[in-house]
Amino acid sequence: MTIAREIMTEGAECVGAEDTVLDAARKMADLGVGALPICGTDDRLKGVLTDRDIIVKVLGAGKDPAQVKAGDLAQGEAVTIGADDDADEILRTMASHKVRRLPVIDGHRLVGIVALADVARALPDRAVGDLLEVISSD
């Protein structure tokens, strides 16, 4: 059975909860990614900041991205997957929370990200199609 650590993208970089959204956007651009995990000063995951969050919750709301902290956009408990969780758990978690990216943790340490693209490369087409249908519906 495929597990998260086998299909994840390693080396995920965090944006600090106290960093500004502008800093986060620049980091996303530099890394060529559309999302960054938000980590607190205690190195614990606080949430995930997406490019859509920046557009809708900051720019669309007329806020200054140089003044808004990344941590201000972390809502509730972060949805994660354990490094040794299997593919069925990855699919269930993505589907039930309607997310396209899952931070992968080992203990409390962030070790990678499983994105929908990683799932598509690693799992059968039918499973991926079913997941995409659930995530995309509202």
Side-chain angles (χ1 to χ4, degrees), residues 72-124:
D72 294 344
L73 300 179
Q75 299 176 347
E77 190 171 325
V79 177
T80 63
I81 195 80
D84 294 317
D85 288 347
D86 66 28
D88 289 340
E89 184 63 23
I90 294 167
L91 293 170
R92 269 194 304 275
T93 303
M94 285 182 150
S96 67
H97 293 280
K98 293 193 174 193
V99 295
R100 295 172 185 262
R101 301 168 190 97
L102 282 174
V104 180
I105 57 170
D106 191 357
H108 293 289
R109 189 173 57 90
L110 177 70
V111 294
I113 299 278
V114 171
L116 186 57
D118 299 318
V119 172
R121 281 190 294 273
L123 302 180

Side-chain angles (χ1 to χ4, degrees), residues 31-92:
L31 296 171
V33 298
L36 287 171
I38 303 169
C39 295
T41 55
D42 59 359
D43 283 333
R44 291 189 182 258
L45 188 66
K46 304 297 182 193
V48 175
L49 178 66
T50 67
D51 47 9
R52 188 174 193 286
D53 292 331
I54 294 171
I55 299 297
V56 174
K57 296 176 183 175
V58 179
L59 299 177
K63 297 178 182 176
D64 180 355
Q67 299 300 316
V68 177
K69 302 291 184 200
D72 294 344
L73 300 179
Q75 299 176 347
E77 190 171 325
V79 177
T80 63
I81 195 80
D84 294 317
D85 288 347
D86 66 28
D88 289 340
E89 184 63 23
I90 294 167
L91 293 170
R92 269 194 304 275

